Amino acid sequence: RGSPVLPCSNAKDRAKGPVKKKKEDPSAIKEREVPQHPSCLFFQYNTQLGPPYHILVDTNFINFSIKAKLDLVQSMMDCLYAKCIPCITDCVMAEIEKLGQRYRVALRIAKDPRFERLPCTHKGTYADDCLVQRVTQHKCYIVATVDKELKRRIRKIPGVPIMYISRHRYNIERMPDDYGAPRF
């Protein structure tokens, strides 16, 4: 005749009334997690950075350098007044290869023997994540990029300088005044 009435699982809970939260003991020790900064960071600068500089190069940095008619290695040396080793990850190389025929000059520059090739062990070819992950693990790199989103992500990581292009030359931010490009 009628369907059987099933008891509501929340009926007992509603009968009890509102659940009261436990009051926090003011004398209890409060725990919080604070990220541990590496010992290489002295005040706001990174002491692991020194000549020869290893510079992680992004795809758009190569493209903008071509548009500005800048030789990558020579312009980096002019900026930092020291030997520079441009490093390119497998993800960045794959990204340049995917861009196709229009970016063959960028691909030829990236395959230059002066560039150090860094192998990637992770899956996927999203270069921005790869670069951020690499500089988070190893604080010995300078990141060369013109991408605003990538710059914003790298600024959150302490002790990682950023190289960018402005006024047809390379500039660097977050480096000690003792070395690095002159300020404008």
Side-chain angles (χ1 to χ4, degrees):
R1 295 183 171 125
S3 62
V5 177
L6 297 172
C8 181
S9 62
N10 292 335
K12 293 177 186 172
D13 294 339
R14 278 189 242 139
K16 290 179 186 174
V19 178
K20 294 182 181 177
K21 292 182 181 177
K22 293 181 182 177
K23 289 187 178 180
E24 290 184 27
D25 184 15
S27 62
I29 298 172
K30 293 183 177 99
E31 290 182 21
R32 65 177 195 179
E33 199 163 315
V34 179
Q36 188 70 35
H37 292 297
S39 60
C40 66
L41 297 179
F42 180 71
F43 295 118
Q44 60 187 9
Y45 297 122
N46 187 348
T47 55
Q48 275 185 348
L49 285 173
Y53 296 107
H54 292 269
I55 301 170
L56 278 176
V57 182
D58 190 24
T59 308
N60 55 24
F61 189 80
I62 296 173
N63 293 333
F64 276 81
S65 295
I66 293 167
K67 285 180 185 172
K69 295 182 175 148
L70 293 168
D71 176 37
L72 252 87
V73 179
Q74 188 58 48
S75 298
M76 285 176 181
M77 288 186 196
D78 292 345
C79 176
L80 291 167
Y81 307 124
K83 183 177 182 189
C84 298
I85 302 166
C87 303
I88 221 161
T89 62
D90 289 345
C91 292
V92 172
M93 200 61 127
E95 201 173 69
I96 296 170
E97 287 168 357
K98 279 182 189 173
L99 290 172
Q101 201 59 24
R102 288 183 58 203
Y103 294 93
R104 63 184 177 276
V105 178
L107 184 62
R108 206 155 81 230
I109 288 172
K111 288 184 177 177
D112 189 323
R114 295 177 292 180
F115 280 49
E116 186 179 314
R117 188 77 183 265
L118 302 172
C120 294
T121 53
H122 57 84
K123 292 182 179 178
T125 56
Y126 188 57
D128 290 6
D129 288 344
C130 177
L131 295 176
V132 170
Q133 178 191 7
R134 197 170 285 268
V135 295
T136 306
Q137 290 171 348
H138 313 285
K139 301 272 193 242
C140 59
Y141 294 110
I142 297 170
V143 179
T145 185
V146 219
D147 184 8
K148 287 181 181 174
E149 184 62 28
L150 182 58
K151 276 188 191 177
R152 186 186 61 75
R153 286 174 67 183
I154 289 173
R155 281 187 190 116
K156 292 178 182 175
I157 306 166
V160 181
I162 301 170
M163 186 178 277
Y164 60 97
I165 301 171
S166 71
R167 299 184 192 160
H168 292 280
R169 62 176 294 177
Y170 293 169
N171 258 326
I172 196 134
E173 68 179 53
R174 293 169 56 179
M175 276 281 267
D177 293 333
D178 300 347
Y179 39 80
R183 305 288 180 256
F184 292 110

